[in-house]
């Protein structure tokens, strides 16, 4: 029987554009060149994914939060979410009417024990879709910022995908960040 317990899912969608003033005055925003590939839309997808993880950890460190560890299962759940968004051609936390917990179950995140998880989604036109631009937008949004800075999160999985969607301009890149922490087993 597949485990079905997820403690909570924090789901929010990135606004179309980040506030420029927010970028200039946000003390948590790391320098633009702090992480290799963070501003390069031409960088290899793995380089961009690692840049996003680096940027998120710099933000968390500046906020006095512990850094996150890379999680294969959360990266797989983020990949599943990106695939579902692409298949359904809708930028939403519930593509094709999927349950919010679907990507975590599909990636077997909850196979051994429940997790507390959160999700951030973001998109930009291809030429603006750097890890740095997406992170800047997430920090400008109070709800996305809350997910990034949640003290409970210890693990991170990120996926970046280029696609076309029915409700967005052609030639976009979506980013999915899944943060989480396995719940302790009850003894």
């Amino acid at each position: 029987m597949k485990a079905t317990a997820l403690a909570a899912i924090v789901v929010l969608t990135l606004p179309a554009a980040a506030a420029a003033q927010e970028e200039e005055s946000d003390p948590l925003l790391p320098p633009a060149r702090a992480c290799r590939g963070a501003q390069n839309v031409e960088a290899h997808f793995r380089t961009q994914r690692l840049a996003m993880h680096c940027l998120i950890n710099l933000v968390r460190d500046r906020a006095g939060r512990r850094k996150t560890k890379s999680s294969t299962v959360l990266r797989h759940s983020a990949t599943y979410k990106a695939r579902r968004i692409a298949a359904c051609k809708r930028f939403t936390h519930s593509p094709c009417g999927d349950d919010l917990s679907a990507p975590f179950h599909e990636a077997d995140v909850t196979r051994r024990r429940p997790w507390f998880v959160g999700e951030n989604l973001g998109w930009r036109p291809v030429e603006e879709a750097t890890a740095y631009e997406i992170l800047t937008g997430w920090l400008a949004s109070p709800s996305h910022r809350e997910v990034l800075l949640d003290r409970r999160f210890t693990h991170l999985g990120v996926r970046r995908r280029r696609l076309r969607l029915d409700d967005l301009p052609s030639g976009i890149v979506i980013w999915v960040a899944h943060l989480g922490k396995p719940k302790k087993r009850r003894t």
Side-chain angles (χ1 to χ4, degrees), residues 52-91:
M52 179 63 85
H53 195 138
C54 171
L55 289 169
I56 289 172
N57 275 335
L58 286 174
V59 166
R60 290 179 62 85
D61 187 57
R62 286 174 167 224
R65 309 298 192 268
R66 69 179 145 208
K67 293 181 179 182
T68 59
K69 299 174 191 172
S70 181
S71 168
T72 302
V73 293
L74 288 178
R75 189 172 66 244
H76 289 171
S77 66
T79 298
Y80 177 81
K81 175 59 74 103
R83 285 180 183 158
R84 290 299 288 164
I85 290 171
C88 301
K89 298 187 182 286
R90 301 286 300 174
F91 182 76

Side-chain angles (χ1 to χ4, degrees), residues 64-166:
R65 309 298 192 268
R66 69 179 145 208
K67 293 181 179 182
T68 59
K69 299 174 191 172
S70 181
S71 168
T72 302
V73 293
L74 288 178
R75 189 172 66 244
H76 289 171
S77 66
T79 298
Y80 177 81
K81 175 59 74 103
R83 285 180 183 158
R84 290 299 288 164
I85 290 171
C88 301
K89 298 187 182 286
R90 301 286 300 174
F91 182 76
T92 174
H93 290 280
S94 302
C96 301
D98 292 351
D99 186 73
L100 296 175
S101 63
F104 303 102
H105 291 305
E106 286 296 321
D108 284 336
V109 172
T110 58
R111 188 180 82 207
R112 295 179 190 215
R113 61 181 160 173
W115 279 58
F116 177 78
V117 294
E119 174 179 89
N120 274 354
L121 301 178
W123 72 272
R124 291 281 193 271
V126 172
E127 60 278 0
E128 300 171 18
T130 66
Y132 191 80
E133 285 300 314
I134 295 295
L135 180 75
T136 299
W138 284 343
L139 287 175
S141 162
S143 50
H144 288 87
R145 187 183 191 96
E146 184 179 340
V147 171
L148 293 174
L149 299 179
D150 193 303
R151 292 181 186 277
R152 295 168 287 191
F153 294 140
T154 57
H155 294 77
L156 172 66
V158 176
R159 177 68 164 124
R160 174 197 172 277
R161 183 172 177 144
R162 186 175 176 164
L163 63 141
R164 292 177 186 244
L165 299 176
D166 291 341

Side-chain angles (χ1 to χ4, degrees), residues 12-29:
L12 308 158
T13 305
L14 179 70
Q21 286 182 330
E22 211 39 60
E23 177 181 343
E24 294 173 6
S25 62
D26 192 332
L28 296 184
L29 189 64

